[in-house]
Every structure is written in structure tokens, then in C-alpha cells.
Amino acid sequence: MSQHLKTPAQLADEVRNLGPWHQAIQITPDFNTSDPYSATGELNRKQNQNISLLTTLYEGFLDTVRPLYPEGLAGKKFLDCACNAGVYCFAARELEAEFSFGFDIREHWIKQARWVQAHRTVSPTDRIEFDICDVYDLPRRGLPMFDLTMFKGIFYHLPDPITALKHASDLTREVLIFNTQATWGKPDGYLKPGSEDIRSLMSGAYGLNWRPTGPRTMIPVFSWLGFKEARLIFYRQNPTHPDLGRLEVVASKVEGLLDGLAQYPSLYDLPE
Ligand SMILES: C[S@@+](CC[C@H](N)C(=O)[O-])C[C@H]1O[C@@H](n2cnc3c(N)ncnc32)[C@H](O)[C@@H]1O
């Protein structure tokens, strides 16, 4: 029986067995990976080991990438660092990416990504590879250069985030999308150390982590990595953890590629 003939009930059983999930991904016209957790329409964190199951990631990726590449990603290679269940690789494939590589340090997430790849019928899932990999091992993987790189939700899970960002940046020809947890309410311009529980599926594997104290912290970093232009998409406070914030920057090594993001301030020109 071909995979897509499984009923929503069978898909739901398999999704529950692979849980918890962080990324809601449409599998068939009438089944989404969030369905088993949202029978009443409310995402239930308790059933999901207290992990947030996010429903806006796929569309959010399309919204970010379309202004950068209005013609889509045909002929482009896409790298997703800490890919989790692979949602951005599937969205990149919808935009016709030539090849996508998603990696994550945890087998748990790569199993989900491969399951989605085998069962998703609403858009093609070929030309995508997933693998278990630590971001620090990237230089030893013999990977090609990528045009577009996603570095989201990983910077603040690393003991040496600049080295990891450099590994991803060294494999990037054009654009890098950077999204991290940050601190809020501290003077901008520093990395603040912290510690995290490595047993959590959503955490890093080392225990030590660093958060930027604001967007200006990242200016010398992106400049040193060779990004000629960078736009600050947002830096905002976390409403439930007021000492934390979230920061998103899109950076390009090629001048002019960020013209579609002209409404956002240039990171390099942020006032003191
Ligand atoms: C907060 S989640 C972000 C997932 C995804 N990037 C997103 O935006 O939805 C953090 C992810 O980073 C992965 N991770 C943590 N440390 C890593 C490392 N050293 N190398 C690769 N992946 C790592 C975790 O397993 C987890 O999937």
C-alpha cells in the first residue's frame, strides 16, 4: 500500500509514537502533525512533554524568503541547521529548491523529519536529505556550498556559538537567516552566559549557552563573517519571560539581495 493511503487515524498513531513534536507540518490534505495534540483545536503542551508545538513556522518561512527570492528557490541549495522535524526544508522544496540539507544533533527529530518526508503528499519531498549531525561537525561533512542557510533556534544552545555560526556561514554563498533567543533589559553589546538542561529534547547537548544582550552584539560578528548587508527583522521582549527577548536578522554576502527587506532597519546602521 502506498504511504499516502494511510488514514488520518493511522497517521495520528504514528505521529503519537514519534512524539513529542515541535513543528506542525501538513502531511496530507486532511492531516497535520499537530492534529493528535489538538483534537479540540487547543494545543495541549501536557500531552507533548511540555514542548510548544508551533503552527506558524512553515508560512513564516515562506513570508521571510519570498521577498528575498521572488522567483522562488529554483537552482538554489538550502541548509537548515538544527532542522528539528524539517519544516523549513519542506517549505524550501515548495519554493522549488534544488537541494536541501537539514541536520539536527538528536535522532528523535531526524526520525520525525524522515517520517514527514515519507508521508507528506501535499508538496514534493524529493531533493531533501536529513542527517544526525552536531553543528560543530559541519566542516567534516564534505558538504557543498549552500545559497540560503537557516540558523534558527540554535545559537543560544551552544557553548561556542560564534564558531558554530562561522561553520554555517562558511558554507553559505548568499543569505543567512538568523533567529535566536536573546536577553532583554541589559545593555546591548554582550553575550550573556547561561546554563541549560541537556536532557531536554529542545536544548543543546553541552549545558553552557550564550544569549546576545541585543542586536548590536551581532554587528561585529556578521561583519567579521563576511556579510555585506544585514537587516534587523525584529528584536522583541518575551511576554511570559520578561528578561528574555527574541532577535531575527537576515544577512547577505551579496549586495542587493536584501532589497526586498528595505522596510527593516540595516543592522550595521543601528544607532548607539
Ligand atoms: C529550539 S529548537 C529549534 C528547532 C528549529 N530550528 C526551529 O526553528 O523550529 C533547537 C534544536 O537545536 C537542536 N540542537 C541543539 N544543539 C545542537 C547542535 N550542537 N547541533 C545540531 N543541532 C542542535 C536540538 O536538538 C533542537 O532540535
Side-chain angles (χ1 to χ4, degrees), residues 94-109:
E94 184 180 325
L95 296 178
E96 297 288 342
E98 173 188 293
F99 172 68
S100 299
F101 178 63
F103 70 90
D104 198 287
I105 200 167
R106 288 195 171 78
E107 185 182 20
H108 176 88
W109 303 122

Side-chain angles (χ1 to χ4, degrees), residues 22-23 82 84 88 104-106 109 134-135 152-153 202-203:
H22 171 56
Q23 298 181 339
N84 205 268
Y88 308 121
D104 198 287
I105 200 167
R106 288 195 171 78
W109 303 122
D134 188 333
V135 67
K152 181 173 176 187
M202 293 290 285
S203 286

Side-chain angles (χ1 to χ4, degrees), residues 54-106:
L54 303 184
T55 55
T56 56
L57 301 176
Y58 192 93
E59 289 301 324
F61 178 87
L62 297 180
D63 289 347
T64 304
V65 173
R66 280 190 176 124
L68 297 166
Y69 296 100
E71 312 294 326
L73 293 174
K76 303 286 183 192
K77 293 189 176 71
F78 171 62
L79 173 65
D80 186 8
C81 303
C83 67
N84 205 268
V87 67
Y88 308 121
C89 289
F90 298 116
R93 180 64 186 86
E94 184 180 325
L95 296 178
E96 297 288 342
E98 173 188 293
F99 172 68
S100 299
F101 178 63
F103 70 90
D104 198 287
I105 200 167
R106 288 195 171 78

